[in-house]
Amino acid sequence: MGETIRIAGADGFEFSAYHEPSFTPRKGGVIVIQEIFGIDRHVRADVGRWAKAGYDAIAPSLYDRREWGFTAEHDPAGMQAGIANARATPIEQALTDIAACRDFLKAHGAQKVCVVGYCYGGSLAWLSACQLDGIAAASSYYGSMVQANAALTPKSPTIVHLGRTDHGIPADEVAQALHQHHPDLPVYIYEGAGHGFNNESPERYNAEAADLARHRTLELFEAA
């Protein structure tokens, strides 16, 4: 079963993180990076899926310095609150908290640590792959900041997932920007899938796309 723990960031602040050890012989560690809605039931469910797949999984609560334990519903008010917290959280601070989770997993025996992130976390997964050392592989789902940071070079194997019907992130433009700088980087566009297709909320979930993207991510992590 998962539990909420505390991890010290680079600034000494102890942020919370949802942690679940691997159910099977451990293959490594996975940092699950949240959407704008915080460590809600969907993020915790994703942590559980990675634990069942054999990974020591952890999801840092990246808004804790601003609002401890923040979660929001997937409605206009929740969207507004989540965006406000994301914008008020410095990118470098989020990356150092992700690095602290990397160090936690390594200290607890994970020989390799991978990163997967969704929405806000998809952007941070891309930036983690490009700016942090010690990340074995990264899987970025529909991150709004990926296109603007496409010139950055990942330090480890990285894949990107996009929904064809995502109204906020133009899939073809993101893929073109990435391939301009990284011609061989795998960018997967899922037909019929919109933003948040991995999230099991009824208004966003696309089971076929989510299953295929998770299969590709698992293959990436296992090969790292």
Side-chain angles (χ1 to χ4, degrees):
M1 295 293 292
E3 62 175 348
T4 299
I5 62 173
R6 293 193 180 198
I7 296 176
D11 58 357
F13 178 85
E14 290 193 348
F15 59 90
S16 61
Y18 185 74
H19 173 240
E20 190 161 346
S22 61
F23 279 37
T24 60
R26 182 167 50 196
K27 301 173 183 176
V30 171
I31 303 169
V32 178
I33 312 179
Q34 65 182 67
E35 297 181 313
I36 60 169
F37 304 103
I39 310 301
D40 61 8
R41 63 188 182 278
H42 302 294
V43 175
R44 294 194 298 272
D46 205 70
V47 168
R49 281 191 288 268
W50 287 110
K52 289 181 178 67
Y55 291 88
D56 194 359
I58 190 166
S61 183
L62 296 174
Y63 303 158
D64 274 359
R65 292 170 185 79
R66 177 176 169 85
E67 186 174 347
W68 182 269
F70 170 85
T71 60
E73 294 299 320
H74 297 184
D75 55 22
M79 182 83 69
Q80 184 176 7
I83 290 172
N85 277 330
R87 289 177 174 170
T89 301
I91 293 296
E92 287 305 316
Q93 177 185 290
L95 289 175
T96 58
D97 286 353
I98 293 166
C101 289
R102 172 203 63 199
D103 296 343
F104 170 87
L105 292 171
K106 285 183 176 289
H108 286 76
Q111 297 298 309
K112 62 179 178 181
V113 175
C114 303
V115 173
V116 61
Y118 311 93
C119 179
Y120 171 65
S123 296
L124 290 173
W126 174 258
L127 294 172
S128 295
C130 297
Q131 298 185 11
L132 297 181
D133 294 323
I135 301 298
S139 182
S140 167
Y141 285 68
Y142 34 80
S144 63
M145 292 184 278
V146 171
Q147 184 175 0
N149 292 279
L152 298 177
T153 300
K155 300 181 178 185
S156 58
T158 300
I159 59 177
V160 173
H161 310 279
L162 303 165
R164 172 66 71 193
T165 63
D166 189 330
H167 299 298
I169 300 173
D172 288 327
E173 292 180 21
V174 176
Q176 182 179 6
L178 287 167
H179 285 154
Q180 178 182 349
H181 299 282
H182 316 288
D184 297 326
L185 189 136
V187 180
Y188 300 108
I189 300 176
Y190 298 84
E191 302 297 332
H195 190 75
F197 65 75
N198 183 74
N199 189 299
E200 292 182 346
S201 54
E203 66 274 15
R204 298 199 292 165
Y205 186 52
N206 183 303
E208 183 179 0
D211 289 347
L212 180 54
R214 189 173 302 119
H215 174 73
R216 287 167 167 163
T217 299
L218 187 59
E219 283 190 332
L220 176 77
F221 290 176
E222 292 187 347

